[in-house]
Amino acid sequence: MQLLSQENIDAVRVTSPEGIRPAAEALHRIALECGMRAAPAHDIADKRTPVDADGNLLATEVFGWGDGDRVWWRNSRIALDSPLTTACRFESQPFWANAEGFRTLEPNAYLSSIDIGNFETRALTRAAIGVPVHLPFGQIGAVSFNPLDRDKTDLSEDFVRYSDALGLYARTFIATYVQIMGSTQALPPESRLSKREVECLRWAAIGKTDLEISMIMSRSRATVRFHIHNAATKLNAVNRSQTVFKAAQLGYISLQN
């Protein structure tokens, strides 16, 4: 089986609302070929799950999740409680997990700090390959690939064999789905920050007060406040912290010390 191919990439790419369902069907077919069933989420902070152009749940209509399954979109705490969604915040590459912990191709110390207690109940699966999909403006999507054999807990061989291809297909499907279905922009088009606004936010990001920033930049405190307020307005942020966060998400500043 030639799993990784341009044909498959094109098949899972969403190019129009009408193309959502065929792309989902292609991802479902690929997952089945790997002995897996896909569970897609376009936003791990939102219990809603992807739908087709007519509003039908892809999870039930395409991916085969039924009433007999422990379905994630009916669990309002899944984004906070599942170790799989937690891992998607700390990792950008595919991983696999079970009750014994997380495994990745490259070490990630953050994953070892995740609580995996009561794993099966909280993750709604005994084992899974997870693909985080980090999107613009801080949104995180994910696709969980769960073995068709529900008693299977060792995915080490499957991970080595399939993770690169599943990662590519999952990211392509989720990213293009979000792009096509995004009816509202996360930020206004006039969100380009000025040099002074960025400079003020860089100092604010490391904890400097308005007074300290004014001394560093040789500007008045009122001027510093003016620049930070303008940045907040452009980024549609409600306070200083959110302004800094959104600026970091857009690549204007870094939150790394």
Side-chain angles (χ1 to χ4, degrees):
M1 175 181 64
Q2 185 180 359
L3 182 62
L4 187 57
S5 69
Q6 185 62 50
E7 181 180 359
N8 279 343
I9 296 172
D10 292 338
V12 301
R13 189 187 309 278
V14 179
T15 58
S16 68
E18 294 72 26
I20 293 173
R21 193 180 185 98
E25 290 171 345
L27 183 62
H28 179 55
R29 170 184 56 79
I30 292 168
L32 291 179
E33 290 175 354
C34 299
M36 302 280 179
R37 183 162 48 160
H42 63 287
D43 186 346
I44 62 172
D46 189 338
K47 69 176 182 179
R48 291 177 297 177
T49 188
V51 296
D52 64 17
D54 297 321
N56 299 308
L57 291 180
L58 296 179
T60 57
E61 296 284 322
V62 174
F63 294 106
W65 297 95
D67 292 335
D69 298 305
R70 293 171 294 176
V71 289
W72 68 96
W73 65 89
R74 294 177 186 164
N75 183 347
S76 61
R77 291 188 53 82
I78 192 72
L80 297 175
D81 196 44
S82 171
L84 297 179
T85 54
T86 300
C88 288
R89 297 186 176 95
F90 297 155
E91 178 60 73
S92 60
Q93 297 300 314
F95 60 84
W96 78 272
N98 60 12
E100 297 178 2
F102 293 87
R103 290 84 163 177
T104 56
L105 293 176
E106 298 178 356
N108 183 340
Y110 290 107
L111 296 182
S112 62
S113 67
I114 296 175
D115 176 17
I116 58 172
N118 202 18
F119 179 89
E120 183 176 350
T121 299
R122 293 167 57 220
L124 305 181
T125 184
R126 298 188 68 186
I129 294 176
V131 180
V133 185
H134 290 257
L135 300 163
F137 315 123
Q139 183 172 328
I140 301 175
V143 178
S144 172
F145 292 94
N146 305 269
L148 296 175
D149 179 356
R150 300 188 183 191
D151 294 326
K152 187 174 184 177
T153 59
D154 184 358
L155 302 183
S156 53
E157 292 184 5
D158 302 87
F159 184 71
V160 171
R161 186 176 182 183
Y162 301 131
S163 63
D164 286 340
L166 293 179
L168 178 58
Y169 298 139
R171 286 189 289 266
T172 299
F173 175 74
I174 292 294
T176 55
Y177 171 86
V178 169
Q179 185 175 24
I180 291 297
M181 292 295 283
S183 59
T184 58
Q185 291 180 297
L187 290 174
E190 302 84 8
S191 60
R192 183 176 179 84
L193 301 184
S194 71
K195 179 180 178 181
R196 289 298 184 194
E197 290 162 355
V198 171
E199 188 176 3
C200 288
L201 291 179
R202 282 175 178 164
W203 290 114
I206 61 174
K208 298 297 183 181
T209 65
D210 290 344
L211 179 59
E212 291 171 329
I213 296 172
S214 70
M215 296 173 65
I216 293 169
M217 295 177 59
S218 300
R219 297 289 188 275
S220 69
R221 185 162 54 174
T223 298
V224 171
R225 288 175 175 171
F226 172 78
H227 287 313
I228 293 179
H229 173 75
N230 277 356
T233 300
K234 290 180 178 179
L235 298 181
N236 195 25
V238 298
N239 55 36
R240 186 188 189 97
S241 297
Q242 191 180 38
T243 304
V244 169
F245 176 78
K246 286 193 171 184
Q249 290 295 330
L250 288 172
Y252 283 112
I253 62 175
S254 172
L255 296 181
Q256 302 295 324
N257 293 327

